[in-house]
Amino acid sequence: MLEGFDFGTPKIANQLTGNLAALKHCNGLSIPPEYFMEAMGRLRDRFLNVPVLYPASLPALRAAEEQKAAADAAPEVKEKQLTAQQWYERGNAATDVSEKLRFYDEAIRLDPRLDLAYNNRAETRRTSGDAEGALEDCNVAIQLNPELAVAYSNRGLARLDKGDTEGALLDFSEAIRLRPDLALAYSNRGEARHASGDWEGAVRDCTEAIQLNPALALAYNNRGLARYDGGDPEGALRDYADALRLNPNLALAYNNRGFIRHDRGEFEGAVGDYAEAIRFDPTLALAYNNRALARYDKGDIDGALHDRDAAIRLRPKMALFYYNRSFARRAKGDAEGAQRDYNEAVRLGYQPKR
């Protein structure tokens, strides 16, 4: 402050009331007038950038004591649990399937009661074709947490992959009972109802999912499937367009739209849609199988065989893929190879139409 000015002098101190009274206790700095600008620079650089601590109020002190007591009473967080959570979160963030599985494996090893790690590993296993492993993981997740709705929904998908439509419907309904706002469970139940031939029920469930979550692209895709099989291909195409608008990377929607185009004889458009499906999901065996059908119908037998091989490589236990490849092999004059494929299809459970 300027020379001769002091907050602590009685004349000035008496004027400092209320919040300003604290200034009486602040240190003063004598500043001759001719050095005012220099002193302001020092004040800014040396003092104003240094935090000033004032005594805490009584309420603040009490709150701090209460928080400290609560922290002391809380159970100790074990390092293993923290590490398991970190591995679990790494699994969620990973994009490579093998990495995701490895991270979830480590989380479960460190904390065998981490229900969400089992649930998410189940989802990863199912999408990579291991429906049996997915079922096992979902069962453990549900045993650990019987209220975990997403685990029932994922188990329903695994059951659906294994052809257990009735069991899948029960699981999806249980997920909805536990979480009536879980849009994905309605969408999944719509898929199961579609598989059971209940197209109207499937449309209703998917519509409910869309009302709960208008951004759920998969619900539009599943409703499109039900609408197509229910005799409404135009409605199905609109749903696939909405699904791709919401998620331009949704491989299933490209695959399903390709199927409609193929059915209409638009083979080039169908091949293009299947190619997009494969680009966004190179593990989607069904898209290779369907592109093989479109290529076969447009006379590209070599391309069809290439796609059949890829589909079988991805899903070596899918009877239909062997059956379909037998036609392409026969068209190339490989009667022996065609017969082997046909026999393998029957061995895996394919029922020839009579």
Side-chain angles (χ1 to χ4, degrees):
M1 58 199 71
L2 291 175
E3 187 175 25
F5 187 89
D6 185 354
F7 283 129
T9 61
K11 183 177 179 181
I12 295 173
N14 290 337
Q15 305 299 316
L16 300 174
T17 61
N19 292 335
L20 295 177
L23 291 173
K24 301 173 189 178
H25 309 293
C26 291
N27 294 329
L29 182 66
S30 181
I31 303 172
E34 60 267 28
Y35 293 108
F36 180 80
M37 295 305 296
E38 173 67 19
M40 289 300 100
R42 290 187 183 185
L43 178 66
R44 180 190 67 240
D45 297 336
R46 295 182 57 188
F47 297 101
L48 294 183
N49 288 329
V50 178
V52 178
L53 300 178
Y54 292 96
S57 66
L58 277 176
L61 287 171
R62 289 195 194 97
E65 287 296 326
E66 290 172 0
Q67 291 172 6
K68 181 177 183 302
D72 290 342
E76 181 184 358
V77 178
K78 297 180 180 177
E79 181 63 26
K80 276 192 173 183
Q81 290 175 337
L82 284 176
T83 306
Q85 184 67 25
Q86 290 168 355
W87 282 109
Y88 165 71
E89 289 169 0
R90 289 184 69 183
N92 291 344
T95 54
D96 180 76
V97 170
S98 60
E99 285 289 275
K100 289 178 80 72
L101 289 172
R102 184 170 70 84
F103 294 153
Y104 291 138
D105 287 347
E106 185 64 13
I108 290 167
R109 185 184 70 80
L110 292 170
D111 184 359
R113 298 194 62 78
L114 191 55
D115 53 355
L116 285 174
Y118 287 100
N119 175 74
N120 291 12
R121 188 173 70 177
E123 184 179 3
T124 306
R125 282 179 161 176
R126 186 190 66 81
T127 54
S128 62
D130 183 10
E132 196 62 47
L135 271 175
E136 292 173 4
D137 274 347
C138 287
N139 287 335
V140 176
I142 290 168
Q143 287 172 358
L144 291 171
N145 184 0
E147 304 296 308
L148 190 60
V150 290
Y152 289 95
S153 186
N154 281 334
R155 189 171 70 178
L157 288 173
R159 284 179 163 171
L160 199 58
D161 285 351
K162 289 177 66 65
D164 181 9
T165 305
E166 185 177 346
L169 284 168
L170 290 173
D171 273 340
F172 296 139
S173 295
E174 181 63 11
I176 290 167
R177 185 188 69 80
L178 291 168
R179 282 274 308 276
D181 63 338
L182 189 58
L184 189 59
Y186 283 98
S187 177
N188 291 341
R189 191 171 69 178
E191 184 179 353
R193 284 183 163 166
H194 171 250
S196 69
D198 180 10
W199 300 315
E200 290 183 3
V203 168
R204 282 197 306 273
D205 269 346
C206 292
T207 300
E208 180 68 22
I210 290 165
Q211 288 174 350
L212 288 168
N213 183 1
L216 186 59
L218 189 62
Y220 289 93
N221 174 77
N222 289 347
R223 189 171 69 176
L225 282 169
R227 281 181 163 168
Y228 178 76
D229 285 340
D232 182 13
E234 296 303 325
L237 285 172
R238 287 195 300 271
D239 275 340
Y240 296 143
D242 281 334
L244 292 171
R245 173 179 57 81
L246 291 166
N247 183 1
N249 302 339
L250 187 58
L252 284 172
Y254 286 107
N255 176 77
N256 295 338
R257 188 173 68 180
F259 189 86
I260 294 179
R261 287 178 166 172
H262 184 191
D263 195 43
R264 292 179 167 183
E266 301 169 10
F267 301 133
E268 289 295 339
V271 167
D273 269 343
Y274 295 138
E276 284 295 279
I278 291 165
R279 181 165 75 93
F280 288 116
D281 185 0
T283 68
L284 187 58
L286 188 62
Y288 287 99
N289 176 75
N290 289 346
R291 189 171 68 176
L293 288 169
R295 282 178 162 173
Y296 183 89
D297 285 345
K298 68 190 289 286
D300 180 9
I301 308 303
D302 289 333
L305 270 173
H306 179 270
D307 279 342
R308 299 278 191 232
D309 291 342
I312 290 171
R313 193 162 53 246
L314 289 166
R315 298 289 294 273
K317 295 182 180 180
M318 191 69 157
L320 180 64
F321 294 170
Y322 290 93
Y323 179 76
N324 288 340
R325 190 171 67 176
S326 70
F327 285 95
R329 282 185 161 168
R330 195 171 300 279
K332 289 287 292 181
D334 181 9
E336 186 177 342
Q339 188 61 49
R340 280 199 309 271
D341 274 344
Y342 181 84
N343 292 342
E344 183 65 11
V346 172
R347 187 187 71 81
L348 289 170
Y350 181 76
Q351 300 285 335
K353 293 181 180 178
R354 300 187 182 281

